[in-house]
């Protein structure tokens, strides 16, 4: 994986990936970081309507939620790989980063099907 460009609009095609990267750097107190070297972070990706259809089980998904322990100061990437036609859903894709009940960040991408 390599960074190609920073964009708000995704001209989607099969085989590409897009997403966000972030660093938890809001905690500046060394004693707090020493006691809590990592934080439980939830990443939510909300898909535009009608959602993503899983070709294997024919289920429709409206969002993806993952959790992981993220060390303070580490760069983290959360992406979405477009593996097939059913992954290309035009509209607003919303990536959110949460700690407990606090939304730390949100990024909205506007996906368009690549033409040509």
């Amino acid at each position: 994986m390599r960074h190609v460009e920073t964009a708000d609009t995704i001209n989607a095609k099969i085989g590409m990936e897009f997403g966000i990267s972030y660093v938890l750097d809001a905690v500046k107190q060394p004693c707090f970081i020493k006691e809590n070297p990592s934080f439980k972070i939830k990443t939510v990706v909300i898909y535009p309507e009608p959602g993503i259809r899983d070709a294997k089980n024919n289920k429709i998904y409206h969002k993806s939620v993952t959790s992981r322990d993220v060390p303070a100061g580490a760069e983290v990437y959360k992406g979405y790989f477009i593996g097939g036609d059913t992954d290309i859903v035009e509209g607003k894709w919303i990536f959110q980063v949460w700690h407990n009940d606090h939304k730390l960040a949100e990024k909205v991408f506007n996906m368009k099907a690549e033409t040509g």
Side-chain angles (χ1 to χ4, degrees):
M1 172 184 58
R2 66 183 175 84
H3 180 262
V4 176
E5 69 178 286
T6 300
D8 294 327
T9 300
I10 305 300
N11 294 313
K13 63 181 178 181
I14 295 172
M16 74 175 291
E17 184 172 353
F18 68 101
I20 60 171
S21 63
Y22 61 91
V23 176
L24 292 179
D25 68 353
V27 180
K28 301 287 186 195
Q29 300 169 337
C31 63
F32 187 76
I33 292 173
K34 190 174 185 179
E35 293 172 14
N36 301 287
S38 66
F39 299 87
K40 182 64 83 181
I41 299 296
K42 178 173 68 174
T43 307
V44 179
V45 180
I46 302 169
Y47 311 128
E49 288 299 324
I52 300 290
R53 183 177 61 81
D54 185 325
K56 293 178 186 170
N57 63 19
N58 209 32
K59 284 183 71 174
I60 302 290
Y61 294 94
H62 298 281
K63 67 181 175 180
S64 166
V65 179
T66 56
S67 293
R68 65 194 281 193
D69 288 327
V70 175
E75 183 173 359
V76 178
Y77 173 75
K78 174 63 178 176
Y80 188 87
F81 178 76
I82 301 172
D85 289 332
T86 59
D87 294 326
I88 300 175
V89 180
E90 293 188 310
K92 291 186 187 315
W93 287 63
I94 304 169
F95 283 67
Q96 298 175 335
V97 179
W98 293 80
H99 177 256
N100 295 329
D101 293 329
H102 303 285
K103 183 167 46 171
L104 303 176
E106 179 174 281
K107 172 66 178 161
V108 177
F109 295 99
N110 185 30
M111 181 184 284
K112 298 180 180 205
E114 184 176 78
T115 57

